[in-house]
Amino acid sequence: MGALESVKSLFTKNLRQSGIYLAFVAIIILFYFLTDGILLTPQNVTNIVVQNSYILILAIGMVIVIIAGHIDLSVGSVVAFTGAVAGVLTVRQGLPWWVGVIGALVIGAVVGAWQGYWVAFVGIPAFIVTLAGMLIFRGATMVTLGNTQISPFPDAFRNIASGYVNGWLGGNGVDVFTLVLGAVGVAGFAVSQWRSRRARIAYQQVVDSLPMFIGRIVLMGIVAMAFAWELAKYKGLPIVLVVLAVLILAYSAIAKRSVFGRHVYSIGGNLNAAMLSGIKVKWVNFWIFVNMGVLSGLAGIVFTARLNLANPKAGTGFELDAIAACFIGGAAVTGGVGTVIGTIIGGLIIGVMNNGMSIMGVGIDYQQAIKGLVLLLAVAFDVYNKRRAGAGR
């Protein structure tokens, strides 16, 4: 095999695993030049994180739902409903801000349990249950708010979405604490990936080639440290990014290392085999939707805090962005495949595209069309890979 054929084989063999990272970097470079560098200014990088934080929170829960072979169309309405509950408790009732936060999370869990019951124990398809939920909880939002808006929220509540962690280690115009955390995160990611690779090799599973593996780690490290540098030059680490980081680490561990995570992949990959192997499919499905409801409540808190407003129309279209982030990030439409990290990258691709096109002055109509085209290409890429894998057997 010649050198050119070796490179081609190396690229195509790892295309599915690494394609999303390459696409993310390519889109950043593209919009960097199209926006004359505005995309990567410190303030704009921070804005991309804050503006898309609630979509990324929803996407983390949504990818678990999709891996199990379901879908949730109601998350936008649940975001509005839980934000309304937080507004009523915190602003109208004058209770402490943390009561509003807990109230929104509890209501999110109750909503998730309601939908999980109909899906898991009654057997109604999730598409129908959550479509009904979209209407039910949008109506519940209007009833809760009395079809009006609630504002302003206390400063402590608003800091959830607009506050920063900075100055702990000093720095002259650059927050050193943010850079240190970025370096620790990169080192942790590299060690985690290396241990995962060794474990897969020990069980004689297929892994990336060593050059591709090292290249991916180096590429991710460069992107992560460049990201941390831009944050450090602005106001430091957004609090909502800390929340996101905790969620990413926790749900990555749950998906890959916990019994619950393995059951979710099993149900999505082969439902009959999962039932025959003794997995309690109904209860796993139930808790998947409870989890989605809690994360929808958290997204509702972040969105309401960012706007400083509880609005009956909040969350409109959020479900589409969350679902798109999952599929662009590599989740399979048939279930059984998907990762939390891939979903976050998919969500950031949408966020960078939205931000870049807004800076360029592209109209919202064209933005919607372009995002739809990207989603279609991502799913087509997934179908193409499956057919190629099937032909290769």
Side-chain angles (χ1 to χ4, degrees):
M1 181 181 292
L4 183 61
E5 291 181 340
S6 298
V7 172
K8 182 180 178 181
S9 175
L10 181 71
F11 181 76
T12 54
K13 183 179 178 181
N14 295 280
L15 185 60
R16 180 174 177 78
Q17 291 85 358
S18 306
I20 185 66
Y21 303 105
L22 297 174
F24 182 46
V25 174
I27 288 173
I28 289 176
I29 294 174
L30 173 65
F31 278 102
Y32 175 78
F33 288 106
L34 290 177
T35 60
D36 296 325
I38 297 176
L39 181 80
L40 295 183
T41 58
Q43 181 176 357
N44 196 58
V45 170
T46 303
N47 286 341
I48 291 174
V49 173
V50 175
Q51 289 172 356
N52 294 280
S53 55
Y54 38 89
I55 296 297
L56 297 179
I57 292 171
L58 290 175
I60 290 172
M62 187 66 76
V63 74
I64 304 295
V65 173
I66 289 175
I67 290 172
H70 303 295
I71 200 75
D72 192 335
L73 302 177
S74 68
V75 293
S77 296
V78 180
V79 164
F81 184 38
T82 52
V85 170
V88 169
L89 293 175
T90 308
V91 179
R92 284 187 181 167
Q93 301 298 325
L95 298 173
W97 66 274
W98 52 268
V99 175
V101 170
I102 294 175
L105 294 176
V106 170
I107 290 297
V110 172
V111 167
W114 164 265
Q115 300 194 125
Y117 168 76
W118 292 105
V119 173
F121 298 110
V122 180
I124 300 176
F127 180 87
I128 303 300
V129 172
T130 57
L131 182 62
M134 175 193 290
L135 302 174
I136 293 170
F137 301 117
R138 182 64 64 185
T141 304
M142 295 178 182
V143 171
T144 303
L145 292 176
N147 220 10
T148 61
Q149 300 177 343
I150 295 180
S151 180
F153 283 78
D155 290 343
F157 189 91
R158 286 190 283 127
N159 279 339
I160 296 172
S162 56
Y164 294 85
V165 179
N166 54 26
W168 288 9
L169 296 178
N172 185 18
V174 177
D175 184 47
V176 175
F177 179 70
T178 301
L179 294 178
V180 170
L181 276 187
V184 171
V186 170
F189 175 74
V191 170
S192 171
Q193 292 295 302
W194 178 253
R195 292 180 61 182
S196 175
R197 176 186 171 82
R198 289 184 60 185
R200 293 177 68 89
I201 291 174
Y203 285 100
Q204 298 181 340
Q205 296 179 347
V206 177
V207 296
D208 289 348
S209 62
L210 187 60
M212 181 63 76
F213 174 78
I214 295 175
R216 181 161 57 88
I217 298 298
V218 171
L219 182 62
M220 289 299 295
I222 292 173
V223 171
M225 288 310 299
F227 176 64
W229 175 256
E230 297 297 333
L231 294 179
K233 286 199 300 183
Y234 186 53
K235 292 183 178 179
L237 199 62
I239 291 176
V240 71
L241 182 58
V242 177
V243 174
L244 261 176
V246 171
L247 290 176
I248 292 169
L249 291 174
Y251 278 90
S252 294
I254 291 171
K256 289 184 177 180
R257 305 184 187 283
S258 73
V259 174
F260 180 80
R262 286 193 288 273
H263 287 178
V264 172
Y265 278 99
S266 298
I267 292 172
N270 190 326
L271 177 59
N272 291 330
M275 295 175 68
L276 291 173
S277 64
I279 295 174
K280 297 179 179 177
V281 174
K282 292 182 179 179
W283 280 105
V284 173
N285 284 332
F286 176 78
W287 287 113
I288 286 172
F289 280 92
V290 172
N291 175 68
M292 186 73 254
V294 173
L295 289 180
S296 298
L298 180 58
I301 293 167
V302 173
F303 184 68
T304 305
R306 178 172 175 267
L307 294 186
N308 190 22
L309 179 73
N311 188 338
K313 295 183 179 179
T316 304
F318 283 11
E319 59 279 349
L320 301 182
D321 283 339
I323 292 169
C326 297
F327 289 135
I328 292 173
V333 292
T334 53
V337 176
T339 63
V340 173
I341 294 295
T343 298
I344 294 297
I345 298 296
L348 288 175
I349 286 177
I350 295 175
V352 169
M353 290 176 57
N354 282 338
N355 187 270
M357 288 188 288
S358 297
I359 294 173
M360 293 169 60
V362 177
I364 188 67
D365 45 358
Y366 285 100
Q367 288 189 31
Q368 294 294 331
I370 292 171
K371 284 163 54 181
L373 184 60
V374 170
L375 175 60
L376 181 62
L377 292 175
V379 176
F381 180 70
D382 174 61
V383 172
Y384 165 76
N385 271 293
K386 283 184 175 176
R387 287 179 178 172
R388 191 180 61 176
R393 293 193 182 104

